[in-house]
């Protein structure tokens, strides 16, 4: 079964967690990666530029209507919800916060599950809220692969713990093993 | 063509019914967004399928009103994206100052916060007396709220922060009267604002203007519809007129991108070429 995309949801402690995963992926990694990291509405996006410098893959903010393509790691812009469309492009929305968050992980995951069905990989990392649990369940329902960071290894364990208690996830992995696991998934593609 | 799933077919039919019965055309809105809004209403209303909603839409007026309201995003704030308003002061005001009278079209003004923000800014820059702001939306409920100019007091703190960050020249409290629940915008701010019902999807150009603000409306449209609306904006603007989009919107995909020059690429402010 070939996968088409990876979505990652992460909140507090996210930058450290992402730095332990994304820079390890080679520049020819075969799947596009889309990330919702909860940030302040006033974030200037500088963290995205600095992440781009440390990653082999191209790290950028997702633009509306942009085609989702391999070779890129897309970050949801501050203060907008990010959605993935069936035609493999992005949409943005300024509608109300979901789970007190904009961007919301649930909004991304639910739309991605509709668009990619069983060709989607969903990952929940560290965070201190419950965003993403319902979205991950939706990915599972559509036949996608679901992975959660072991709460024991999370800077903030409650978001992974919520995800694990909301649906039966496929894999629970310590943060240190996440990058290698994703590389393996990429190789089978 | 790949087979569509049942929900997608139901949503297509629902949008078709809305268009035929009520004249609002959501058929070219982004799929993921529309699906989200409709599913949301489905859960709230206790319907099990979108087909059940179809019956309610056609036979239950208050259900139809709620659904139509859901499909129009009314999330907004005063001086939203303060950096944009600073850009208006620094880059657009010098252009507007050269006109004997000024017409501004605020398309998709929703509940009016940004129209009032612009009225405050133009007042501070000494231009409001010779300006008319046409603030339009297709959502009559939002427009009625906008005309009132009454905002919940718990928002004022955030609006004040935005106002200051936008380079405000006096105290934000000069522009409203508040009690413990409500803040009412000063009547003189409304004097030159014309509130009008206008639908970007189904209505046509209605005025020739010097500046258009349409922020975070086009992001909900598919590309073809975006292009159609861009054409309307282009026809409405005088030569040298200014188009202001939302901070994450751009002209990248517009057929008309070469017809404009960047006035402030970061704040998505464009000037129609002469």
């Amino acid at each position: 079964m070939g996968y088409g995309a990876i979505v990652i949801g992460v909140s507090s402690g996210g930058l450290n967690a992402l730095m332990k995963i994304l820079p390890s992926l080679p520049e020819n990694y075969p799947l596009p990666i889309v990330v919702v990291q909860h940030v302040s509405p006033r974030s200037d996006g500088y963290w995205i530029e600095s992440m781009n410098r440390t990653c082999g893959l191209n790290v950028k903010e997702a633009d509306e209507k942009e085609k989702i393509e391999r070779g890129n790691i897309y970050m949801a812009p501050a203060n907008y919800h990010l959605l993935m469309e069936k035609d493999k492009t992005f949409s943005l929305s300024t509608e109300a916060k979901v789970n007190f968050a904009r961007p919301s992980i649930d909004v991304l995951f639910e739309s991605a599950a509709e668009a990619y069905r069983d060709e989607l990989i969903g990952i929940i990392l560290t965070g201190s809220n419950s965003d993403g649990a319902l979205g991950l369940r939706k990915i599972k329902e559509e036949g996608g692969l679901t992975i959660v960071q072991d709460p024991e290894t999370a800077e903030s364990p409650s978001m992974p713990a919520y995800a694990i208690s909301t649906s039966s996830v496929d894999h629970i992995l310590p943060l240190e093993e996440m990058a290698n696991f994703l590389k393996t998934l990429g190789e089978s593609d | 063509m790949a087979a569509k799933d049942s929900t997608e077919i139901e949503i297509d039919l629902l949008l078709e019914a809305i268009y035929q019965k009520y004249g609002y055309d959501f058929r070219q809105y982004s799929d993921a967004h529309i699906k989200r809004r409709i599913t949301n209403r489905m859960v709230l209303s206790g319907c099990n399928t979108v087909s059940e909603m179809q019956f309610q839409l056609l036979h239950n007026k208050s259900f139809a009103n709620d659904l139509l309201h859901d499909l129009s995003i009314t999330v907004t704030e005063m001086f939203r994206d303060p950096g944009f308003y600073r850009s208006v002061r620094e880059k657009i005001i010098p252009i507007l100052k050269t006109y004997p009278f000024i017409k501004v079209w605020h398309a998709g003004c929703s509940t009016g916060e940004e129209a009032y923000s612009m009225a405050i800014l133009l007042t501070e820059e000494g231009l409001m007396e010779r300006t008319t702001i046409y603030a339009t939306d297709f959502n009559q409920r939002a427009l009625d709220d906008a005309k009132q100019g009454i905002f919940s007091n718990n928002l004022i703190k955030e609006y004040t922060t935005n106002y200051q960050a936008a380079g405000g020249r006096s105290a934000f409290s000069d522009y409203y009267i508040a009690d413990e629940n409500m803040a009412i915008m000063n009547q003189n701010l409304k004097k030159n604002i014309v509130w009008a019902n206008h639908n970007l999807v189904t209505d046509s150009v209605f005025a020739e203007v010097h500046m258009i603000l349409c922020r975070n409306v086009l992001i909900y449209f598919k590309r073809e519809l975006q292009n159609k609306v861009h054409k309307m904006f282009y026809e409405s603007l005088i030569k040298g007129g200014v188009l202001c989009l939302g901070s994450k919107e751009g002209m990248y995909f517009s057929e008309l991108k070469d017809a404009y020059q960047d006035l402030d690429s970061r704040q998505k402010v464009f000037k129609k070429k002469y």
Side-chain angles (χ1 to χ4, degrees), chain A residues 146-151 164 169-174 177-178:
Chain A
T146 57
I147 305 168
V148 176
Q149 178 182 355
D150 183 347
I164 291 165
V169 301
D170 293 308
H171 301 282
I172 298 168
L173 294 173
E177 289 173 30
M178 202 65 83

Side-chain angles (χ1 to χ4, degrees), chain A residues 16-186:
Chain A
N16 291 335
L18 291 171
M19 285 307 277
K20 284 212 166 63
I21 301 171
L22 302 178
S24 317
L25 300 174
E27 61 189 81
N28 63 353
Y29 193 72
L31 302 174
I33 297 169
V34 186
V35 181
V36 163
Q37 154 83 66
H38 289 160
V39 285
S40 136
R42 289 182 176 70
S43 161
D44 62 358
Y46 179 74
W47 66 280
I48 297 174
E49 287 167 43
S50 63
M51 199 155 274
N52 186 39
R53 282 196 290 275
T54 58
C55 288
L57 288 159
N58 177 42
V59 185
K60 71 183 294 293
E61 204 173 70
D63 284 317
E64 63 129 7
K65 302 284 184 288
E66 182 175 12
K67 197 122 193 66
I68 301 163
E69 286 172 329
R70 58 182 291 178
N72 297 296
I73 299 170
Y74 301 97
M75 303 291 181
N79 211 16
Y80 286 79
H81 292 302
L82 180 63
L83 298 94
M84 288 158 85
E85 299 279 350
K86 276 203 165 58
D87 65 1
K88 311 288 155 71
T89 60
F90 289 116
S91 288
L92 296 175
S93 151
T94 57
E95 67 181 275
K97 291 179 178 180
V98 175
N99 307 321
F100 310 104
R102 190 172 54 220
S104 145
I105 301 165
D106 277 344
V107 171
L108 172 72
F109 279 21
E110 283 164 15
S111 64
E114 299 271 357
Y116 284 80
R117 303 290 178 198
D118 59 352
E119 294 178 5
L120 186 69
I121 300 165
I123 302 173
I124 293 287
L125 302 173
T126 172
S128 52
N129 52 69
S130 62
D131 194 17
L134 293 175
L136 199 73
R137 185 171 73 189
K138 170 84 176 166
I139 292 173
K140 180 77 184 165
E141 282 165 3
E142 296 293 342
L145 186 76
T146 57
I147 305 168
V148 176
Q149 178 182 355
D150 183 347
E152 298 282 321
T153 68
E155 212 168 302
S156 302
S158 62
M159 203 163 87
Y162 256 104
I164 291 165
S165 64
T166 302
S167 63
S168 64
V169 301
D170 293 308
H171 301 282
I172 298 168
L173 294 173
L175 182 60
E176 291 65 39
E177 289 173 30
M178 202 65 83
N180 274 333
F181 191 80
L182 291 187
K183 278 191 240 179
T184 319
L185 285 173

Side-chain angles (χ1 to χ4, degrees), chain B residues 21 37 42 56 165 204 209 234:
Chain B
K21 177 135 180 117
R37 303 309 304 156
M42 188 168 84
Q56 293 293 334
S204 50
V209 298
Y234 184 79

Side-chain angles (χ1 to χ4, degrees), chain B residues 35-52:
Chain B
K35 186 161 194 172
R36 214 184 146 74
R37 303 309 304 156
I38 288 176
T39 312
N40 212 16
R41 178 49 54 185
M42 188 168 84
V43 172
L44 286 174
S45 64
C47 293
N48 294 308
T49 62
V50 178
S51 296
E52 278 179 41

Side-chain angles (χ1 to χ4, degrees), chain B residues 34-239:
Chain B
I34 284 287
K35 186 161 194 172
R36 214 184 146 74
R37 303 309 304 156
I38 288 176
T39 312
N40 212 16
R41 178 49 54 185
M42 188 168 84
V43 172
L44 286 174
S45 64
C47 293
N48 294 308
T49 62
V50 178
S51 296
E52 278 179 41
M53 294 174 77
Q54 180 88 304
F55 177 85
Q56 293 293 334
L57 173 86
L58 295 169
H59 301 284
N60 174 346
K61 192 78 203 217
S62 83
F63 177 91
N65 280 337
D66 287 341
L67 179 61
L68 290 171
H69 194 73
D70 278 349
L71 290 171
S72 145
I73 300 296
T74 54
V75 178
T76 176
E77 53 190 76
M78 290 256 184
F79 293 96
R80 177 189 202 149
D81 307 317
F84 162 72
Y85 285 91
R86 274 203 307 278
S87 187
V88 173
R89 279 185 206 274
E90 289 157 20
K91 301 199 164 84
I92 302 179
I93 294 295
I95 298 173
L96 296 182
K97 275 197 163 123
T98 67
Y99 303 124
F101 63 89
I102 303 159
K103 289 186 189 168
V104 175
W105 177 16
H106 193 120
C109 68
S110 185
T111 42
E113 283 87 336
E114 290 208 71
Y116 284 108
S117 304
M118 193 51 68
I120 289 170
L121 192 150
L122 290 166
T123 302
E124 293 187 353
E125 298 294 335
L127 296 178
M128 198 59 217
E129 286 301 316
R130 54 177 144 134
T131 300
T132 306
I133 297 177
Y134 298 95
T136 67
D137 204 284
F138 75 91
N139 180 335
Q140 194 56 45
R141 209 187 281 181
L143 215 49
D144 291 340
D145 287 348
K147 279 180 210 173
Q148 298 282 329
I150 299 174
F151 301 110
S152 166
N153 211 343
N154 57 17
L155 298 168
I156 289 292
K157 192 165 160 242
E158 185 192 352
Y159 292 174
T160 305
T161 309
N162 281 356
Y163 166 79
Q164 287 162 344
R169 296 187 182 196
S170 53
F172 187 53
S173 55
D174 291 352
Y175 298 107
Y176 61 85
I177 297 162
D179 63 17
E180 60 274 18
N181 305 317
M182 299 291 180
I184 303 180
M185 300 314 290
N186 288 354
Q187 293 307 300
N188 64 359
L189 291 171
K190 294 183 199 178
K191 207 172 58 175
N192 291 352
I193 303 179
V194 177
W195 308 98
N197 194 306
H198 178 275
N199 187 323
L200 285 172
V201 186
T202 50
D203 295 338
S204 50
V205 174
F206 74 100
E208 188 174 60
V209 298
H210 302 82
M211 166 155 111
I212 294 174
L213 297 108
C214 183
R215 307 184 67 230
N216 302 314
V217 178
L218 298 180
I219 47 174
Y220 301 112
F221 297 176
K222 287 183 179 168
R223 200 175 296 184
E224 203 176 313
L225 181 57
Q226 285 185 341
N227 275 322
K228 185 183 142 188
V229 176
H230 266 300
K231 221 176 251 136
M232 177 166 34
F233 289 162
Y234 184 79
E235 286 166 13
S236 302
L237 277 174
I238 61 157
K239 285 180 175 154

